[in-house]
Amino acid sequence: MRKKIIAGNWKMNKTIGEAVELANGIKLDLAACTEVDVVLCPPFTALKSVSDVVSETQIAVGAQNMSSEDEGAYTGEICHTMLKELFVRYVILGHSERREYYKENDFWINKKVLKALEKNLRPILCVGETLAQREANETEKVVEVQIREGLKDVPASAYTELVIAYEPVWAIGTGKTATAEQAQEVHAFIRGVVKDMVGAEAANAVRIQYGGSMKPANAEELLSQPDIDGGLIGGAALDATSFAAIVKAAL
Ligand code: PGA
């Protein structure tokens, strides 16, 4: 049985004070939650404060991006050592907003995934098609390339550590959720691609989250699908009550 994992992607929201308040609210409800992995991904500037709030709880902290390099002249970047110093355990990589606005491509995303794994950080690799790609029947083709390229050279043994997030771009922040059937179909497809790449054991072990307007009202149905192992939550993660309700839907 794969343990469900619910991660809150706070994106570019919350000052330190606001982040502490939100993390405290979530902690009140979920500090002792062991049945589901709970991860909070605040902006870089609030990582330390949020780590302090959730230290000594079961709640983990994740970053929203990471450099593929170890250190040096990379203005504006943050490396693994800096994240680990703040007790970060997970890192979201290849989010569609980074692919779209900052032109991140599969080559660099793969370098980041490999670096994160090498340094014992757990990547959450995001993949997903745009509306135009879905309408052109290209969903599987697009997602397969993102998986094959993004996870190139990742050994089968690492699939217990990494997480894949299937996030259809047309569902992110739009209020339009993929139906449970649409999501399940792509999740099963992704698991099949992983099986083809590294074998059945890794494919069975890897956790695949759904992301894209997941909220308390639709979480339970999505999370009850056989290949949906959790959620990457944007908007609904900015409210402690909503986020906690989604985690409870995963129980
Ligand atoms: P959303 O964002 O829940 O606001 O759609 C999800 C994400 O981008 O990770």
Side-chain angles (χ1 to χ4, degrees), residues 9 11 95-97 167 171-175 211-214 232-236:
N9 173 11
K11 307 193 180 184
H95 191 279
S96 61
E97 286 150 15
E167 300 203 303
I172 294 178
T174 56
S213 300
M214 197 191 262
L232 182 55
I233 322 298

Side-chain angles (χ1 to χ4, degrees), residues 66-211:
M66 185 194 83
S67 169
S68 58
E69 306 307 310
D70 290 320
E71 63 177 345
Y74 300 98
T75 302
E77 293 289 297
I78 300 282
C79 67
H80 55 86
T81 332
M82 298 166 180
L83 297 180
K84 290 179 73 175
E85 193 172 45
L86 304 178
F87 305 102
V88 167
R89 296 278 298 113
Y90 291 82
V91 58
I92 299 171
L93 296 173
H95 191 279
S96 61
E97 286 150 15
R98 298 213 56 85
R99 292 178 191 259
E100 186 184 345
Y101 306 140
Y102 306 103
K103 307 296 167 225
E104 286 199 14
N105 62 25
D106 290 324
F107 174 82
W108 285 104
I109 294 164
N110 176 242
K111 286 188 68 149
K112 293 179 182 194
V113 167
L114 292 172
K115 180 60 73 178
L117 288 168
E118 178 196 326
K119 300 298 175 186
N120 291 319
L121 285 162
R122 297 176 157 184
I124 299 177
L125 171 68
C126 303
V127 300
E129 80 288 1
T130 63
L131 184 58
Q133 288 164 338
R134 174 162 282 264
E135 285 173 348
N137 270 327
E138 289 173 357
T139 300
E140 292 192 349
K141 189 177 93 187
V142 167
V143 168
E144 178 163 3
V145 169
Q146 290 172 337
I147 293 285
R148 287 192 185 273
E149 300 289 312
L151 297 178
K152 191 164 176 275
D153 297 329
V154 172
S157 59
Y159 279 74
T160 48
E161 298 305 303
L162 72 88
V163 177
I164 295 169
Y166 168 59
E167 300 203 303
V169 178
W170 48 272
I172 294 178
T174 56
K176 281 190 208 141
T177 322
T179 64
E181 294 70 32
Q182 282 174 323
Q184 164 58 27
E185 203 183 337
V186 182
H187 281 236
F189 173 76
I190 290 172
R191 209 175 292 286
V193 173
V194 171
K195 184 175 171 196
D196 188 57
M197 288 169 72
V198 286
E201 199 180 323
N204 266 330
V206 70
R207 293 185 292 180
I208 308 176
Q209 297 174 311
Y210 169 79

